[in-house]
Amino acid sequence: MRNLVLAVVTLFSINAFSQSESQEIKNLKYRLSTPVITLSNIGKGGERINTQHVELHFKYELDKKNIVGVKFATWRLFQPMGILWWDGLLDKIDSQSEFYPGYLRETGLGISYQRMLWKGLFATVEVLPQLKTYLNEDNSFVGNGFKLYTSYHIGYHFAFGKNKRFFFEPQIHCQNWLIDTNTPEQFKVLDNKWRNYFMFEPNLYFGVKF
């Protein structure tokens, strides 16, 4: 009888623990993440090509397939974003031939929708309204504008750690900005030489679920 009681208690404890663990995993509905590029800019200070990129994503799982979120991002551009890889993007950075006569700071708060397609494979759309601030090289104010920045991502979600609480997401994305207003003339001359989209940007995000 004692052994029977012990077996029942043991089975009940295992079942309760399993349900508790499953419930804990199930309740990890929120995600906080940032791209690695945010860390890569730390310590570069006032370097001419430091984009001073800071980006944070706060997301909520509606269900196992659908995830919505809020995105905050700010960065500093030293040349037009529409220069593609096959235009000699890296060469132009080395030569500084397309550098702005200063900087463009873009800051925005937007929304995102992520759809899980198969296992960890996902697609994401992000819409980010941005305030543009133009600065001279000495960081003096030149003017303000507005940009509507959208991006389209395809990537894979890898989860790891206890309860798969941590994750990273390698991805490729393309972006465009069909609305772009009030660009100062000295910056506009350079922007008009290039496109209002960028294609095939690799990125790596990491984050935590809670």
Side-chain angles (χ1 to χ4, degrees), residues 101-157:
Y103 300 99
L104 165 57
R105 165 69 67 180
E106 298 180 329
T107 302
L109 184 66
I111 58 174
S112 67
Y113 169 69
Q114 184 173 354
R115 173 73 178 182
M116 304 306 297
L117 303 175
W118 176 76
K119 294 187 177 180
L121 183 68
F122 67 84
T124 304
V125 177
E126 299 175 359
V127 180
L128 183 68
Q130 294 178 307
L131 172 66
K132 303 188 301 178
T133 302
Y134 291 90
L135 304 169
N136 287 323
E137 285 193 56
D138 62 1
N139 287 320
S140 59
F141 177 78
V142 175
N144 281 330
F146 173 81
K147 176 184 286 186
L148 184 61
Y149 177 91
T150 56
S151 58
Y152 315 92
H153 308 241
I154 188 78
Y156 203 91
H157 178 89

Short mmCIF file of all heavy atoms in Angstrom, two decimals, residues 101-157:
data_model
loop_
_atom_site.label_atom_id
_atom_site.label_comp_id
_atom_site.label_asym_id
_atom_site.label_seq_id
_atom_site.Cartn_x
_atom_site.Cartn_y
_atom_site.Cartn_z
N PRO A 101 27.33 66.14 -47.17
CA PRO A 101 28.04 67.25 -46.54
C PRO A 101 27.62 67.38 -45.08
O PRO A 101 27.23 68.45 -44.59
CB PRO A 101 27.57 68.46 -47.36
CG PRO A 101 26.20 68.10 -47.79
CD PRO A 101 26.24 66.61 -48.06
N GLY A 102 27.66 66.27 -44.37
CA GLY A 102 27.18 66.20 -43.00
C GLY A 102 26.55 64.85 -42.75
O GLY A 102 27.01 63.82 -43.25
N TYR A 103 25.43 64.84 -42.01
CA TYR A 103 24.76 63.60 -41.64
C TYR A 103 23.24 63.73 -41.74
O TYR A 103 22.69 64.83 -41.66
CB TYR A 103 25.10 63.22 -40.19
CG TYR A 103 26.56 63.00 -39.92
CD1 TYR A 103 27.34 64.01 -39.35
CD2 TYR A 103 27.17 61.79 -40.23
CE1 TYR A 103 28.68 63.82 -39.09
CE2 TYR A 103 28.51 61.58 -39.98
CZ TYR A 103 29.26 62.60 -39.41
OH TYR A 103 30.60 62.40 -39.16
N LEU A 104 22.61 62.58 -41.88
CA LEU A 104 21.16 62.49 -41.80
C LEU A 104 20.81 61.57 -40.63
O LEU A 104 21.15 60.39 -40.64
CB LEU A 104 20.58 61.92 -43.10
CG LEU A 104 19.12 61.44 -43.05
CD1 LEU A 104 18.19 62.55 -42.61
CD2 LEU A 104 18.70 60.87 -44.41
N ARG A 105 20.15 62.11 -39.62
CA ARG A 105 19.68 61.32 -38.48
C ARG A 105 18.21 61.00 -38.70
O ARG A 105 17.40 61.90 -38.95
CB ARG A 105 19.85 62.11 -37.19
CG ARG A 105 19.09 61.57 -35.98
CD ARG A 105 19.64 60.26 -35.47
NE ARG A 105 20.98 60.42 -34.91
CZ ARG A 105 21.68 59.42 -34.40
NH1 ARG A 105 21.19 58.19 -34.40
NH2 ARG A 105 22.89 59.64 -33.93
N GLU A 106 17.88 59.69 -38.65
CA GLU A 106 16.49 59.25 -38.81
C GLU A 106 16.05 58.51 -37.55
O GLU A 106 16.74 57.59 -37.09
CB GLU A 106 16.36 58.34 -40.03
CG GLU A 106 16.72 59.05 -41.33
CD GLU A 106 16.61 58.16 -42.56
OE1 GLU A 106 16.82 56.93 -42.44
OE2 GLU A 106 16.31 58.70 -43.64
N THR A 107 14.89 58.89 -37.02
CA THR A 107 14.38 58.29 -35.79
C THR A 107 12.89 58.03 -35.94
O THR A 107 12.15 58.90 -36.43
CB THR A 107 14.62 59.23 -34.59
OG1 THR A 107 16.02 59.51 -34.48
CG2 THR A 107 14.13 58.60 -33.30
N GLY A 108 12.44 56.85 -35.53
CA GLY A 108 11.03 56.54 -35.68
C GLY A 108 10.53 55.47 -34.75
O GLY A 108 11.30 54.72 -34.15
N LEU A 109 9.21 55.40 -34.64
CA LEU A 109 8.51 54.37 -33.87
C LEU A 109 7.46 53.78 -34.79
O LEU A 109 6.59 54.51 -35.30
CB LEU A 109 7.86 54.98 -32.62
CG LEU A 109 7.17 54.00 -31.67
CD1 LEU A 109 8.18 53.06 -31.02
CD2 LEU A 109 6.39 54.75 -30.59
N GLY A 110 7.52 52.46 -35.03
CA GLY A 110 6.62 51.85 -35.99
C GLY A 110 6.06 50.53 -35.51
O GLY A 110 6.14 50.19 -34.33
N ILE A 111 5.49 49.79 -36.45
CA ILE A 111 4.84 48.51 -36.14
C ILE A 111 5.41 47.41 -37.04
O ILE A 111 5.99 47.68 -38.09
CB ILE A 111 3.31 48.60 -36.31
CG1 ILE A 111 2.95 49.03 -37.74
CG2 ILE A 111 2.72 49.56 -35.29
CD1 ILE A 111 1.46 49.01 -38.03
N SER A 112 5.21 46.16 -36.60
CA SER A 112 5.68 45.02 -37.39
C SER A 112 4.69 43.87 -37.29
O SER A 112 3.93 43.76 -36.31
CB SER A 112 7.07 44.57 -36.92
OG SER A 112 7.00 44.02 -35.61
N TYR A 113 4.72 43.03 -38.31
CA TYR A 113 3.93 41.79 -38.31
C TYR A 113 4.84 40.66 -38.80
O TYR A 113 5.46 40.76 -39.86
CB TYR A 113 2.72 41.90 -39.23
CG TYR A 113 2.04 40.57 -39.46
CD1 TYR A 113 1.36 39.92 -38.43
CD2 TYR A 113 2.11 39.94 -40.70
CE1 TYR A 113 0.75 38.69 -38.63
CE2 TYR A 113 1.50 38.71 -40.92
CZ TYR A 113 0.82 38.09 -39.88
OH TYR A 113 0.23 36.87 -40.07
N GLN A 114 4.93 39.61 -37.99
CA GLN A 114 5.77 38.46 -38.31
C GLN A 114 4.89 37.22 -38.44
O GLN A 114 4.06 36.94 -37.57
CB GLN A 114 6.82 38.25 -37.22
CG GLN A 114 7.81 37.13 -37.51
CD GLN A 114 8.94 37.10 -36.47
OE1 GLN A 114 9.05 37.96 -35.61
NE2 GLN A 114 9.79 36.10 -36.56
N ARG A 115 5.11 36.47 -39.52
CA ARG A 115 4.34 35.26 -39.77
C ARG A 115 5.29 34.07 -39.82
O ARG A 115 6.24 34.04 -40.61
CB ARG A 115 3.60 35.38 -41.12
CG ARG A 115 2.90 34.11 -41.59
CD ARG A 115 1.65 33.82 -40.78
NE ARG A 115 0.98 32.62 -41.29
CZ ARG A 115 -0.17 32.15 -40.81
NH1 ARG A 115 -0.77 32.77 -39.81
NH2 ARG A 115 -0.73 31.07 -41.33
N MET A 116 5.05 33.10 -38.95
CA MET A 116 5.83 31.87 -38.97
C MET A 116 5.32 30.99 -40.11
O MET A 116 4.13 30.67 -40.17
CB MET A 116 5.73 31.14 -37.64
CG MET A 116 6.13 31.99 -36.43
SD MET A 116 7.79 32.73 -36.55
CE MET A 116 8.83 31.25 -36.60
N LEU A 117 6.22 30.60 -41.02
CA LEU A 117 5.82 29.88 -42.23
C LEU A 117 5.97 28.37 -42.10
O LEU A 117 5.07 27.61 -42.47
CB LEU A 117 6.65 30.38 -43.42
CG LEU A 117 6.57 31.89 -43.69
CD1 LEU A 117 7.53 32.27 -44.80
CD2 LEU A 117 5.14 32.29 -44.05
N TRP A 118 7.12 27.94 -41.58
CA TRP A 118 7.39 26.50 -41.47
C TRP A 118 8.52 26.31 -40.48
O TRP A 118 9.61 26.85 -40.66
CB TRP A 118 7.78 25.94 -42.84
CG TRP A 118 8.17 24.49 -42.81
CD1 TRP A 118 7.34 23.41 -42.72
CD2 TRP A 118 9.50 23.96 -42.88
NE1 TRP A 118 8.06 22.25 -42.72
CE2 TRP A 118 9.40 22.56 -42.83
CE3 TRP A 118 10.76 24.55 -43.00
CZ2 TRP A 118 10.52 21.72 -42.87
CZ3 TRP A 118 11.88 23.72 -43.04
CH2 TRP A 118 11.75 22.33 -42.98
N LYS A 119 8.21 25.59 -39.40
CA LYS A 119 9.18 25.44 -38.30
C LYS A 119 9.66 26.83 -37.89
O LYS A 119 8.87 27.67 -37.50
CB LYS A 119 10.31 24.50 -38.71
CG LYS A 119 9.84 23.06 -38.93
CD LYS A 119 10.99 22.11 -39.17
CE LYS A 119 10.48 20.68 -39.30
NZ LYS A 119 11.60 19.71 -39.53
N GLY A 120 10.98 27.13 -38.01
CA GLY A 120 11.48 28.44 -37.61
C GLY A 120 11.48 29.48 -38.72
O GLY A 120 11.82 30.64 -38.48
N LEU A 121 11.13 29.08 -39.94
CA LEU A 121 11.15 30.00 -41.07
C LEU A 121 10.04 31.04 -40.92
O LEU A 121 8.90 30.70 -40.65
CB LEU A 121 10.98 29.23 -42.37
CG LEU A 121 11.06 30.05 -43.67
CD1 LEU A 121 12.48 30.57 -43.88
CD2 LEU A 121 10.62 29.18 -44.86
N PHE A 122 10.37 32.31 -41.15
CA PHE A 122 9.38 33.36 -40.98
C PHE A 122 9.54 34.46 -42.03
O PHE A 122 10.59 34.59 -42.68
CB PHE A 122 9.50 33.99 -39.58
CG PHE A 122 10.76 34.76 -39.34
CD1 PHE A 122 10.89 36.09 -39.74
CD2 PHE A 122 11.84 34.17 -38.69
CE1 PHE A 122 12.06 36.80 -39.52
CE2 PHE A 122 13.02 34.87 -38.47
CZ PHE A 122 13.12 36.19 -38.88
N ALA A 123 8.49 35.24 -42.18
CA ALA A 123 8.51 36.45 -43.00
C ALA A 123 7.98 37.60 -42.13
O ALA A 123 7.06 37.40 -41.33
CB ALA A 123 7.65 36.29 -44.25
N THR A 124 8.56 38.78 -42.30
CA THR A 124 8.17 39.94 -41.49
C THR A 124 8.01 41.17 -42.37
O THR A 124 8.79 41.37 -43.31
CB THR A 124 9.24 40.24 -40.41
OG1 THR A 124 9.45 39.08 -39.60
CG2 THR A 124 8.79 41.39 -39.51
N VAL A 125 7.02 41.99 -42.05
CA VAL A 125 6.85 43.30 -42.66
C VAL A 125 6.89 44.34 -41.54
O VAL A 125 6.24 44.18 -40.51
CB VAL A 125 5.51 43.41 -43.42
CG1 VAL A 125 5.33 44.82 -43.98
CG2 VAL A 125 5.45 42.40 -44.55
N GLU A 126 7.68 45.41 -41.76
CA GLU A 126 7.78 46.48 -40.77
C GLU A 126 7.50 47.83 -41.43
O GLU A 126 7.96 48.08 -42.56
CB GLU A 126 9.18 46.50 -40.15
CG GLU A 126 9.52 45.21 -39.41
CD GLU A 126 10.95 45.15 -38.90
OE1 GLU A 126 11.71 46.12 -39.13
OE2 GLU A 126 11.30 44.13 -38.27
N VAL A 127 6.76 48.67 -40.75
CA VAL A 127 6.46 50.02 -41.23
C VAL A 127 6.94 51.00 -40.17
O VAL A 127 6.52 50.92 -39.01
CB VAL A 127 4.95 50.20 -41.48
CG1 VAL A 127 4.66 51.61 -41.97
CG2 VAL A 127 4.45 49.16 -42.49
N LEU A 128 7.81 51.92 -40.59
CA LEU A 128 8.47 52.81 -39.64
C LEU A 128 8.40 54.26 -40.10
O LEU A 128 9.21 54.68 -40.95
CB LEU A 128 9.93 52.38 -39.46
CG LEU A 128 10.76 53.15 -38.43
CD1 LEU A 128 10.26 52.86 -37.01
CD2 LEU A 128 12.24 52.79 -38.56
N PRO A 129 7.46 55.07 -39.61
CA PRO A 129 7.48 56.51 -39.89
C PRO A 129 8.69 57.13 -39.18
O PRO A 129 8.95 56.82 -38.01
CB PRO A 129 6.17 57.02 -39.28
CG PRO A 129 5.35 55.79 -39.02
CD PRO A 129 6.31 54.69 -38.77
N GLN A 130 9.42 58.00 -39.88
CA GLN A 130 10.65 58.55 -39.32
C GLN A 130 10.71 60.07 -39.42
O GLN A 130 10.33 60.65 -40.45
CB GLN A 130 11.87 57.99 -40.06
CG GLN A 130 12.08 56.49 -39.89
CD GLN A 130 13.26 56.02 -40.70
OE1 GLN A 130 13.35 56.27 -41.90
NE2 GLN A 130 14.19 55.34 -40.06
N LEU A 131 11.22 60.69 -38.38
CA LEU A 131 11.59 62.10 -38.42
C LEU A 131 13.03 62.18 -38.89
O LEU A 131 13.92 61.51 -38.34
CB LEU A 131 11.46 62.73 -37.03
CG LEU A 131 11.99 64.17 -36.91
CD1 LEU A 131 11.17 65.13 -37.75
CD2 LEU A 131 12.02 64.61 -35.45
N LYS A 132 13.28 62.99 -39.92
CA LYS A 132 14.63 63.17 -40.44
C LYS A 132 15.21 64.49 -39.90
O LYS A 132 14.55 65.51 -39.93
CB LYS A 132 14.63 63.22 -41.97
CG LYS A 132 14.04 62.00 -42.64
CD LYS A 132 14.26 62.05 -44.15
CE LYS A 132 13.65 63.29 -44.78
NZ LYS A 132 13.90 63.38 -46.22
N THR A 133 16.45 64.42 -39.45
CA THR A 133 17.16 65.62 -39.01
C THR A 133 18.49 65.69 -39.75
O THR A 133 19.30 64.76 -39.68
CB THR A 133 17.42 65.59 -37.49
OG1 THR A 133 16.18 65.47 -36.80
CG2 THR A 133 18.13 66.86 -37.03
N TYR A 134 18.70 66.78 -40.46
CA TYR A 134 19.92 66.96 -41.24
C TYR A 134 20.90 67.84 -40.46
O TYR A 134 20.53 68.88 -39.90
CB TYR A 134 19.60 67.61 -42.59
CG TYR A 134 18.83 66.69 -43.51
CD1 TYR A 134 17.43 66.67 -43.50
CD2 TYR A 134 19.50 65.83 -44.38
CE1 TYR A 134 16.73 65.83 -44.34
CE2 TYR A 134 18.80 64.98 -45.22
CZ TYR A 134 17.42 64.98 -45.20
OH TYR A 134 16.72 64.13 -46.03
N LEU A 135 22.17 67.40 -40.45
CA LEU A 135 23.21 68.09 -39.69
C LEU A 135 24.44 68.32 -40.57
O LEU A 135 24.74 67.50 -41.45
CB LEU A 135 23.63 67.25 -38.48
CG LEU A 135 22.52 66.84 -37.50
CD1 LEU A 135 23.03 65.80 -36.53
CD2 LEU A 135 21.98 68.06 -36.75
N ASN A 136 25.15 69.39 -40.31
CA ASN A 136 26.46 69.58 -40.91
C ASN A 136 27.46 68.67 -40.22
O ASN A 136 27.16 68.04 -39.20
CB ASN A 136 26.90 71.04 -40.78
CG ASN A 136 26.13 71.96 -41.72
OD1 ASN A 136 25.82 71.57 -42.85
ND2 ASN A 136 25.81 73.15 -41.25
N GLU A 137 28.69 68.61 -40.74
CA GLU A 137 29.70 67.75 -40.14
C GLU A 137 30.04 68.17 -38.72
O GLU A 137 30.52 67.37 -37.93
CB GLU A 137 30.96 67.73 -41.00
CG GLU A 137 30.80 66.90 -42.26
CD GLU A 137 32.12 66.61 -42.94
OE1 GLU A 137 33.02 66.06 -42.27
OE2 GLU A 137 32.26 66.94 -44.13
N ASP A 138 29.81 69.43 -38.38
CA ASP A 138 30.05 69.88 -37.01
C ASP A 138 28.81 69.70 -36.13
O ASP A 138 28.74 70.23 -35.02
CB ASP A 138 30.50 71.35 -37.00
CG ASP A 138 29.43 72.29 -37.58
OD1 ASP A 138 28.34 71.80 -37.97
OD2 ASP A 138 29.68 73.51 -37.64
N ASN A 139 27.82 68.94 -36.67
CA ASN A 139 26.58 68.61 -35.95
C ASN A 139 25.64 69.80 -35.75
O ASN A 139 24.74 69.75 -34.91
CB ASN A 139 26.87 67.95 -34.61
CG ASN A 139 27.36 66.53 -34.77
OD1 ASN A 139 26.88 65.78 -35.61
ND2 ASN A 139 28.35 66.15 -33.97
N SER A 140 25.82 70.87 -36.52
CA SER A 140 24.88 71.98 -36.47
C SER A 140 23.66 71.67 -37.33
O SER A 140 23.75 70.99 -38.35
CB SER A 140 25.55 73.29 -36.94
OG SER A 140 26.02 73.15 -38.26
N PHE A 141 22.51 72.16 -36.92
CA PHE A 141 21.23 71.83 -37.53
C PHE A 141 21.10 72.45 -38.93
O PHE A 141 21.44 73.60 -39.15
CB PHE A 141 20.11 72.34 -36.63
CG PHE A 141 18.72 72.13 -37.18
CD1 PHE A 141 18.11 70.89 -37.13
CD2 PHE A 141 18.02 73.18 -37.76
CE1 PHE A 141 16.84 70.70 -37.63
CE2 PHE A 141 16.75 73.00 -38.25
CZ PHE A 141 16.15 71.76 -38.19
N VAL A 142 20.59 71.62 -39.87
CA VAL A 142 20.35 72.09 -41.24
C VAL A 142 18.86 72.12 -41.55
O VAL A 142 18.34 73.08 -42.12
CB VAL A 142 21.08 71.20 -42.27
CG1 VAL A 142 20.73 71.62 -43.70
CG2 VAL A 142 22.58 71.24 -42.05
N GLY A 143 18.12 71.07 -41.19
CA GLY A 143 16.70 71.02 -41.49
C GLY A 143 16.07 69.72 -41.04
O GLY A 143 16.74 68.77 -40.64
N ASN A 144 14.72 69.65 -41.14
CA ASN A 144 13.96 68.46 -40.78
C ASN A 144 13.14 67.98 -41.97
O ASN A 144 12.81 68.75 -42.88
CB ASN A 144 12.99 68.74 -39.62
CG ASN A 144 13.68 68.75 -38.28
OD1 ASN A 144 14.68 68.05 -38.08
ND2 ASN A 144 13.16 69.54 -37.35
N GLY A 145 12.79 66.70 -41.95
CA GLY A 145 11.92 66.13 -42.96
C GLY A 145 11.21 64.91 -42.41
O GLY A 145 11.31 64.59 -41.22
N PHE A 146 10.50 64.21 -43.30
CA PHE A 146 9.75 63.01 -42.91
C PHE A 146 9.99 61.91 -43.93
O PHE A 146 10.06 62.17 -45.14
CB PHE A 146 8.26 63.31 -42.81
CG PHE A 146 7.41 62.09 -42.58
CD1 PHE A 146 7.27 61.55 -41.32
CD2 PHE A 146 6.76 61.46 -43.65
CE1 PHE A 146 6.50 60.41 -41.10
CE2 PHE A 146 5.99 60.33 -43.44
CZ PHE A 146 5.85 59.80 -42.17
N LYS A 147 10.11 60.69 -43.45
CA LYS A 147 10.28 59.52 -44.32
C LYS A 147 9.38 58.39 -43.81
O LYS A 147 9.29 58.16 -42.59
CB LYS A 147 11.73 59.06 -44.35
CG LYS A 147 11.97 57.79 -45.17
CD LYS A 147 13.42 57.32 -45.07
CE LYS A 147 14.35 58.20 -45.87
NZ LYS A 147 15.73 57.66 -45.90
N LEU A 148 8.73 57.69 -44.73
CA LEU A 148 8.00 56.47 -44.38
C LEU A 148 8.83 55.29 -44.88
O LEU A 148 8.91 55.03 -46.08
CB LEU A 148 6.61 56.45 -45.02
CG LEU A 148 5.74 55.26 -44.62
CD1 LEU A 148 5.49 55.25 -43.11
CD2 LEU A 148 4.41 55.27 -45.37
N TYR A 149 9.43 54.59 -43.94
CA TYR A 149 10.39 53.52 -44.22
C TYR A 149 9.72 52.17 -44.00
O TYR A 149 9.15 51.92 -42.93
CB TYR A 149 11.58 53.70 -43.28
CG TYR A 149 12.66 52.67 -43.34
CD1 TYR A 149 13.76 52.83 -44.19
CD2 TYR A 149 12.64 51.55 -42.52
CE1 TYR A 149 14.80 51.91 -44.22
CE2 TYR A 149 13.65 50.62 -42.54
CZ TYR A 149 14.73 50.80 -43.39
OH TYR A 149 15.75 49.88 -43.42
N THR A 150 9.73 51.31 -44.99
CA THR A 150 9.16 49.98 -44.86
C THR A 150 10.21 48.94 -45.21
O THR A 150 11.07 49.17 -46.07
CB THR A 150 7.93 49.79 -45.78
OG1 THR A 150 8.31 50.07 -47.14
CG2 THR A 150 6.81 50.73 -45.39
N SER A 151 10.14 47.79 -44.54
CA SER A 151 11.11 46.72 -44.80
C SER A 151 10.42 45.37 -44.80
O SER A 151 9.40 45.16 -44.14
CB SER A 151 12.25 46.75 -43.77
OG SER A 151 11.75 46.63 -42.45
N TYR A 152 11.03 44.43 -45.54
CA TYR A 152 10.45 43.11 -45.78
C TYR A 152 11.53 42.07 -45.53
O TYR A 152 12.60 42.10 -46.16
CB TYR A 152 9.93 43.02 -47.22
CG TYR A 152 9.15 44.25 -47.62
CD1 TYR A 152 9.80 45.32 -48.25
CD2 TYR A 152 7.80 44.37 -47.33
CE1 TYR A 152 9.10 46.48 -48.59
CE2 TYR A 152 7.09 45.52 -47.67
CZ TYR A 152 7.75 46.57 -48.30
OH TYR A 152 7.06 47.71 -48.62
N HIS A 153 11.26 41.16 -44.60
CA HIS A 153 12.30 40.26 -44.09
C HIS A 153 11.92 38.80 -44.33
O HIS A 153 10.75 38.42 -44.23
CB HIS A 153 12.47 40.46 -42.58
CG HIS A 153 12.68 41.88 -42.16
ND1 HIS A 153 13.81 42.32 -41.52
CD2 HIS A 153 11.88 42.99 -42.29
CE1 HIS A 153 13.71 43.62 -41.26
NE2 HIS A 153 12.55 44.03 -41.72
N ILE A 154 12.95 37.98 -44.55
CA ILE A 154 12.79 36.53 -44.55
C ILE A 154 13.95 35.97 -43.71
O ILE A 154 15.10 36.39 -43.89
CB ILE A 154 12.79 35.94 -45.98
CG1 ILE A 154 12.44 34.46 -45.95
CG2 ILE A 154 14.09 36.20 -46.70
CD1 ILE A 154 10.97 34.17 -45.78
N GLY A 155 13.63 35.10 -42.76
CA GLY A 155 14.69 34.62 -41.87
C GLY A 155 14.29 33.35 -41.16
O GLY A 155 13.26 32.73 -41.47
N TYR A 156 15.11 32.97 -40.18
CA TYR A 156 14.86 31.73 -39.43
C TYR A 156 15.04 32.01 -37.94
O TYR A 156 16.00 32.67 -37.54
CB TYR A 156 15.79 30.62 -39.89
CG TYR A 156 15.25 29.24 -39.60
CD1 TYR A 156 14.48 28.56 -40.54
CD2 TYR A 156 15.49 28.62 -38.37
CE1 TYR A 156 13.95 27.30 -40.26
CE2 TYR A 156 14.98 27.36 -38.09
CZ TYR A 156 14.21 26.71 -39.04
OH TYR A 156 13.69 25.46 -38.76
N HIS A 157 14.12 31.49 -37.16
CA HIS A 157 14.10 31.69 -35.71
C HIS A 157 14.71 30.47 -35.02
O HIS A 157 14.18 29.36 -35.12
CB HIS A 157 12.65 31.90 -35.23
CG HIS A 157 12.51 32.06 -33.75
ND1 HIS A 157 12.58 33.29 -33.12
CD2 HIS A 157 12.30 31.14 -32.77
CE1 HIS A 157 12.41 33.12 -31.83
NE2 HIS A 157 12.24 31.83 -31.59
#
